Amino acid sequence: VAGEVAVDYLLGLGHRSIGLLGSAPPTELLGKTFSNQDGMERALDAAGLLEDAMRWFVPIEDESSPAGYLGMASRFVERWATTDADARPTAVVCKNDQAAFALLAALAERRIDVPGDLSVLGYDNTSEGEFVYPPLTSVDPRIDVCVGEVVDRLLRLLDRTGEIETPHASGA
């Protein structure tokens, strides 16, 4: 859902070429596969932009250090800066705010104007986004809502298998 929100936001601003910095392999939970880019891919596909966008999906190789993020961001910026203007994205969604911070640093180093030349959208909505220039626009994943949904699903699943009894309110 968050990926769809991100793409819809950028499409609403007029962007028609969008990349993803830090795409990662999907994770599995309760037998279902999740990816932070599923929603983004659905929204891009619905807009007829997925094929072009896939050329600008850049994987992250090392999430364990700031250097890993900066290396990924620098490679993206080098490729972006050496590509004809009509063939490069006008916006990029970052896997998380850390990737966005690294991208902003790499863009500033090359004196590429954000958001004039390239719009950058983070994911996590961390408070540090207020302290970078320009201030980072970021998708808020509403972790509290996601955790609540996971707990509800687990309780329903366990209730169906008879392994637990869900508490029921009693009349007083």
Side-chain angles (χ1 to χ4, degrees):
V1 173
E4 290 169 296
V5 169
V7 170
D8 289 345
Y9 174 76
L10 293 170
L11 291 174
L13 293 176
H15 294 283
R16 293 295 175 262
S17 182
I18 301 169
L20 175 63
L21 185 64
S23 58
T27 56
E28 190 172 314
L29 177 65
L30 298 174
K32 184 168 167 93
T33 302
F34 297 91
S35 170
N36 65 342
Q37 67 194 48
D38 285 346
M40 188 174 166
E41 289 179 13
R42 280 191 304 275
L44 287 166
D45 191 37
L49 304 173
L50 182 59
E51 186 176 327
D52 181 54
M54 292 303 285
R55 288 186 276 254
W56 287 95
F57 276 31
V58 179
I60 186 164
E61 295 164 5
D62 177 15
E63 291 184 75
S64 65
S65 72
Y69 281 106
L70 191 55
M72 172 190 58
S74 296
R75 287 188 303 278
F76 176 90
V77 170
E78 180 63 29
R79 180 175 168 214
W80 185 90
T82 58
T83 299
D84 289 337
D86 60 342
R88 61 188 182 203
T90 58
V92 62
V93 177
C94 297
K95 174 187 189 295
N96 54 33
D97 286 355
Q98 289 79 5
F101 299 149
L103 181 58
L104 290 173
L107 290 164
E109 187 175 295
R110 292 288 300 256
R111 292 184 167 74
I112 297 170
D113 180 43
V114 175
D117 296 324
L118 181 67
S119 291
V120 176
L121 186 64
Y123 181 87
D124 288 333
N125 200 28
T126 59
S127 58
E128 294 84 356
E130 299 174 30
F131 304 111
V132 295
Y133 184 81
L136 180 63
T137 300
S138 185
V139 175
D140 187 340
R142 297 294 315 264
I143 296 298
D144 56 332
V145 173
C146 293
V147 169
E149 179 64 25
V150 168
V151 169
D152 287 346
R153 287 181 185 194
L154 283 171
L155 289 173
R156 285 193 306 270
L157 178 66
L158 291 172
D159 188 39
R160 277 197 307 257
T161 62
E163 293 182 28
I164 66 164
E165 291 183 25
T166 55
H168 298 282
S170 60

